[in-house]
Amino acid sequence: MPVHHDNADIGDSTISSSWRRARRRRLRILLADGDLVHMELLSMMLEPDHAVIGALAEGAYVVEMIARAKPDIAIIDIGMPGFRGIAATWRLQQIAPETKLVVLTTDARFECIRGVLSAGAMAYLVKPVSVAELHKAIAFVAQGGKYLPASIAGGKPDILMQ
């Protein structure tokens, strides 16, 4: 499985043709973030390229909505009210293994990052994140890879990805 953990250009020849086909297809994305303004901004950032099929501000409904809607990618703030971080991430992977999880949160603790990635998340981003970084993570995850920005990997991507 490809792992991206630095600022390499995802447009180079190492990206598979299946990713290029997936990139042309609008991904179905579900957003879950307790901050309504942040969620609206995320939606506006993603809509030109992808279909945002839902937005949840309460973590208690995330598992149910993903099971029902089956998005290609779910972008989740694991710190949102009603969402139980690592346990909920593991549960999501059990009920909807085809949905790729991208964590976008304020928690930059090593143990949290490692726990959520071990539970099945495909990417971990710490707020604030640039539009370019978010699109890069989505593109990499869409092709089946795991993604950590260089600011998180900090020389330990292999430890975090185990």
Side-chain angles (χ1 to χ4, degrees), residues 51-101:
V52 175
I53 61 167
L56 300 166
E58 177 57 49
Y61 304 108
V62 171
V63 173
E64 178 186 336
M65 181 60 110
I66 288 177
R68 217 173 15 168
K70 302 208 182 305
D72 298 312
I73 294 177
I75 300 175
I76 300 171
D77 181 350
I78 58 169
M80 70 186 296
F83 194 82
R84 294 185 310 261
I86 296 168
T89 302
W90 182 85
R91 177 78 177 121
L92 286 172
Q93 283 304 288
Q94 299 304 305
I95 65 160
E98 66 284 351
T99 296
K100 294 170 175 62
L101 302 178

Side-chain angles (χ1 to χ4, degrees), residues 8-39:
D9 178 16
I10 61 168
D12 67 16
S13 62
T14 63
I15 301 301
S16 70
S17 61
S18 63
W19 174 80
R20 287 188 181 90
R21 283 190 303 275
R23 188 169 184 215
R24 283 184 234 132
R25 180 176 74 81
R26 284 174 50 102
L27 296 170
R28 298 174 67 247
I29 297 178
L30 178 80
L31 302 176
D33 194 307
D35 181 337
L36 296 174
V37 172
H38 188 258
M39 199 162 33

